[in-house]
Amino acid sequence: MTTFDWEKAFIFTPYSTQEGIEEQLGVNFNDPSDIDWRDDIYLLVFLNDDKVVQYIEIDRQGADFTIGEKKHLTPSDDLITIERY
């Protein structure tokens, strides 16, 4: 469903810190969403060639999003689980 090339995607939960995001991504990323102060979104960040190529703010809308035990998504393994609460 993407229109760009990507190798890895990471999903960040509400209140994720800037430092934690950069540590998990392994690259510098200036989070434009301010997710560290928010509980209404998840942040999905896509990397290609170790560079951020896109990010998406996902509205929670009464749901939690998870990728299970995986560290990140890949184009061949991109399942996200959505649980309503």
Side-chain angles (χ1 to χ4, degrees):
M1 298 192 68
T2 57
T3 59
F4 52 88
D5 291 332
W6 63 281
E7 297 172 337
K8 297 178 185 177
F10 296 82
I11 192 162
F12 297 99
T13 60
Y15 304 116
S16 292
T17 65
Q18 177 72 42
E19 296 80 18
I21 291 171
E22 288 185 353
E23 181 178 324
Q24 194 169 350
L25 292 176
V27 299
N28 291 333
F29 175 66
N30 185 14
D31 171 27
S33 73
D34 292 323
I35 197 167
D36 57 338
W37 298 103
R38 299 177 66 178
D39 66 359
D40 62 327
I41 64 166
Y42 279 75
L43 185 64
L44 184 60
V45 180
F46 295 89
L47 285 97
N48 196 44
D49 293 327
D50 294 323
K51 295 178 184 165
V52 174
V53 292
Q54 184 67 273
Y55 73 91
I56 301 167
E57 295 177 16
I58 304 171
D59 289 327
R60 286 187 75 184
Q61 297 181 1
D64 287 325
F65 300 84
T66 182
I67 60 173
E69 299 297 316
K70 299 176 279 195
K71 292 183 180 181
H72 59 269
L73 301 170
T74 65
S76 63
D77 187 11
D78 59 356
L79 181 65
I80 296 176
T81 303
I82 304 170
E83 293 183 28
R84 291 267 179 210
Y85 58 86

